[in-house]
Amino acid sequence: MANNLADALLRKIAVSNRLDPEDVGALEKLPIERRAFGARETVVRDGERPTQCCLVIEGFVFRAKTTFDGQRQILSLHIPGEIPDLQSLHLGIMDHDLVTLTQCTLGLVPHDALKQVNRVRPNVAAALWRETLIDAAIFREWMVNVGRRTGLARMAHLLSELRRRLEAIGRASNGAFRLPITQAELGDCLAMSTVHVNRVLQELRRDGLIEVERSAFQLLDQPKLEQLGQFDPHYLHLSPAA
Amino acid sequence: MANNLADALLRKIAVSNRLDPEDVGALEKLPIERRAFGARETVVRDGERPTQCCLVIEGFVFRAKTTFDGQRQILSLHIPGEIPDLQSLHLGIMDHDLVTLTQCTLGLVPHDALKQVNRVRPNVAAALWRETLIDAAIFREWMVNVGRRTGLARMAHLLSELRRRLEAIGRASNGAFRLPITQAELGDCLAMSTVHVNRVLQELRRDGLIEVERSAFQLLDQPKLEQLGQFDPHYLHLSPAA
DNA sequence: CGTGGATTTGAGAGAAATCAAATCATGTGG
DNA sequence: CCACATGATTTGATTTCTCTCAAATCCACG
């Protein structure tokens, strides 16, 4: 089953979970509707009650909240294989937006089908539950990032995290990865202004820690960058044994 | 079964979930070991691999991360009926500390027992999963709070949230609730200095929005306070219908 | 080759941190 | 029952990081 729509999902889940062949089979049989999206399209909106979940097959998406006075906080960035709105399976109402960062191929999976798989295959349910718990673990780390680190450390931390997560699914190597994101959007991830993002990136470049060529990020000195960002990957729970 | 150790849990879960009598029965039969803790005791430490979860029966606990340079970010406050480390059921390794805020009665529930209940009663599994998803929803809102609001709004938001959550379990009425927390701890929740917490509280008092008498909080003008904090409770997912 | 978004630069303003010290409780032991 | 120690709150003064405002490049694309 080389080109199943669930392939990205299976690869991603395999990073943090052990699944039986039967579990894999059940996931491969999920009814997934492929849908193409342009960049910066809102997929699901705050306040809506979705009846399906969105699997990222290709591209990047993010979740965000907008305050009454129009400020935006990006809550998470999502890479292929993730289901950014998996929480809608049990929460019903969205408390934030789901937006494409880039052109995307998303896979729409009906809640009913997911609930059915969860009932029949408890291992799958546990794995999906675990994915939402890792999601929450990343929220916690981002809260620390936004609340307790300087602009420079915040950026170093974010880049270190992305490198690790992208490496785990084979989309980064030697500290190089492609991520089409603007400085304004980085600012919304890190709760800082575009101007400050720009200056922080310049400083990281000046110090020989990174290179950025449009959407091509290159982390030059991983140890130093991770140290600067106080980055400890154990919150990512990347190993299934954990 | 008037005084079961699971009572607080059942009451809390009933706020956001519908359970069958059989589900309730299964939860009541959980083996729960009662343990008393003093204030500011670390219950579970970052990096540990717990084999049980902690149910808050009485008192308050919080979760926190400490950065390499010793700064602390409180990630969440927990009230009776909650299981603050429920994520350990599927994540294995702790990525933060669990600490008592006040004297506490906690109920220790073995992972095995919880996993068994989850297998036998899918409704219970769904409810517990949902609890961890609400936990994550609160993280998201706190991220916005810390990242995007002024000190005054941050404090107003936190107090508004606490009022709602405590009301839901019958521990706040007319905006009054007891919460023994220092200004330094409030600062760690809101990512601001103790000095600033003090000044913000003074401003809220001066404006007639709150009164604080030691650990007794009294919110005087709920609508104004919620407006100031840009507080919209839908992220709390308090109604089961959601 | 113009156009609009993204990036970069400069200067000034502001929210909150830090530093330092005083005051206020609370609880303890003599 | 009071002196004293300890922790929490409060106040004042200064510093700093980051934002805001404004304008200049830069760049991809039609």
Side-chain angles (χ1 to χ4, degrees):
Chain A
M1 198 136 307
N3 216 8
N4 191 291
L5 285 180
D7 279 355
L9 174 63
L10 288 169
R11 169 158 210 180
K12 178 60 180 22
I13 286 191
V15 170
S16 314
N17 299 274
R18 281 191 232 293
L19 290 181
D20 302 337
E22 289 83 12
D23 298 325
V24 171
L27 286 171
E28 280 173 338
K29 283 197 212 74
L30 277 173
I32 304 180
E33 183 196 341
R34 178 189 216 106
R35 273 271 286 283
F37 285 82
R40 279 85 192 183
E41 273 189 57
T42 300
V43 181
V44 192
R45 214 169 292 274
D46 198 342
E48 285 180 5
R49 298 176 169 278
T51 58
Q52 54 195 7
C53 288
C54 298
L55 164 67
V56 181
I57 293 171
E58 190 57 58
F60 298 94
V61 309
F62 62 85
R63 293 190 278 175
K65 288 199 183 216
T66 302
T67 62
F68 294 168
D69 54 324
Q71 293 188 92
R72 186 173 70 168
Q73 176 68 46
I74 291 182
L75 305 164
S76 57
L77 292 175
H78 294 280
I79 67 180
E82 295 183 343
I83 306 178
D85 60 346
L86 189 50
Q87 89 282 336
S88 70
L89 197 59
H90 289 299
L91 283 188
I93 195 167
M94 290 290 290
D95 54 50
H96 57 272
D97 299 322
L98 177 63
V99 187
T100 60
L101 179 64
T102 63
Q103 268 196 203
C104 277
T105 306
L106 301 185
L108 306 184
V109 195
H111 282 177
D112 293 345
L114 281 168
K115 285 181 173 162
Q116 174 61 22
V117 174
N118 285 344
R119 246 189 313 272
V120 178
R121 305 225 52 90
N123 268 343
V124 172
L128 292 179
W129 187 350
R130 187 171 146 92
E131 290 297 311
T132 64
L133 293 173
I134 295 174
D135 197 48
I138 298 177
F139 291 145
R140 288 193 285 272
E141 188 66 29
W142 279 38
M143 202 191 303
V144 176
N145 212 30
V146 163
R148 291 300 183 189
R149 290 196 255 260
T150 65
L152 199 65
R154 285 218 275 282
M155 181 66 76
H157 191 283
L158 176 62
L159 294 177
S160 299
E161 176 188 304
L162 285 169
R163 194 192 68 79
R164 294 279 186 134
R165 288 169 60 197
L166 288 168
E167 239 171 27
I169 59 163
R171 294 194 183 239
S173 55
N174 299 321
F177 55 85
R178 215 184 67 84
L179 177 70
I181 191 171
T182 66
Q183 294 183 359
E185 286 155 349
L186 283 172
D188 286 343
C189 291
L190 301 171
M192 54 202 226
S193 70
T194 310
V195 171
H196 199 221
V197 166
N198 185 275
R199 292 184 168 131
V200 161
L201 285 175
Q202 284 180 52
E203 186 167 351
L204 290 175
R205 278 188 293 232
R206 199 163 42 244
D207 295 347
L209 298 178
I210 65 166
E211 275 172 9
V212 190
E213 178 75 30
R214 310 226 32 77
S215 62
F217 286 81
Q218 171 76 54
L219 311 193
L220 299 170
D221 190 335
Q222 187 198 335
K224 259 197 203 144
L225 202 66
E226 295 193 345
Q227 196 197 346
L228 182 60
Q230 308 186 314
F231 179 81
D232 176 344
H234 84 284
Y235 75 92
L236 290 174
H237 301 276
L238 282 175
S239 125
Chain B
M1 198 140 304
N3 216 7
N4 192 290
L5 284 179
D7 279 354
L9 173 64
L10 288 169
R11 170 159 209 180
K12 178 60 182 18
I13 287 192
V15 169
S16 315
N17 299 273
R18 281 192 232 292
L19 291 181
D20 301 338
E22 289 83 11
D23 298 324
V24 171
L27 287 171
E28 280 173 339
K29 283 198 213 72
L30 276 173
I32 305 181
E33 183 196 340
R34 179 190 216 104
R35 272 272 285 286
F37 285 82
R40 278 89 192 180
E41 273 191 58
T42 300
V43 181
V44 192
R45 214 170 293 275
D46 198 345
E48 286 181 2
R49 296 175 171 280
T51 58
Q52 54 196 6
C53 288
C54 299
L55 163 66
V56 182
I57 294 171
E58 190 57 59
F60 298 95
V61 308
F62 62 86
R63 292 191 279 176
K65 288 200 183 215
T66 303
T67 63
F68 294 169
D69 54 323
Q71 293 188 91
R72 186 173 70 168
Q73 176 67 47
I74 291 183
L75 305 164
S76 56
L77 293 175
H78 294 280
I79 67 179
E82 296 183 342
I83 306 178
D85 60 347
L86 188 50
Q87 90 281 338
S88 71
L89 197 59
H90 290 298
L91 284 187
I93 195 167
M94 290 290 290
D95 55 50
H96 58 272
D97 299 322
L98 178 62
V99 187
T100 60
L101 180 64
T102 62
Q103 269 197 201
C104 276
T105 306
L106 301 186
L108 306 184
V109 195
H111 282 178
D112 293 343
L114 281 167
K115 284 181 175 163
Q116 174 61 21
V117 173
N118 285 343
R119 246 190 315 273
V120 179
R121 305 225 53 90
N123 267 344
V124 171
L128 292 179
W129 189 350
R130 186 172 147 92
E131 290 298 310
T132 65
L133 293 172
I134 294 174
D135 197 47
I138 297 177
F139 290 145
R140 289 193 284 273
E141 187 66 29
W142 279 39
M143 200 191 303
V144 176
N145 211 31
V146 163
R148 292 301 183 188
R149 290 196 257 261
T150 66
L152 200 66
R154 287 220 272 284
M155 181 66 76
H157 190 283
L158 176 62
L159 294 176
S160 298
E161 177 188 302
L162 286 170
R163 193 191 68 79
R164 293 280 186 135
R165 288 169 59 197
L166 289 168
E167 237 171 29
I169 59 162
R171 294 194 183 240
S173 56
N174 300 322
F177 54 86
R178 214 183 68 85
L179 177 70
I181 191 171
T182 66
Q183 294 182 1
E185 286 155 349
L186 283 171
D188 286 343
C189 292
L190 300 171
M192 56 202 228
S193 70
T194 310
V195 172
H196 199 221
V197 166
N198 184 275
R199 291 185 170 132
V200 161
L201 285 175
Q202 285 180 53
E203 185 166 351
L204 289 174
R205 278 188 292 232
R206 199 165 40 246
D207 295 347
L209 298 178
I210 64 167
E211 272 172 11
V212 190
E213 177 74 30
R214 311 226 31 73
S215 62
F217 285 81
Q218 171 77 54
L219 312 193
L220 298 170
D221 190 335
Q222 187 197 337
K224 258 195 203 148
L225 202 65
E226 295 194 344
Q227 195 197 348
L228 182 61
Q230 308 187 315
F231 180 81
D232 175 345
H234 83 285
Y235 75 92
L236 290 174
H237 302 276
L238 283 175
S239 127

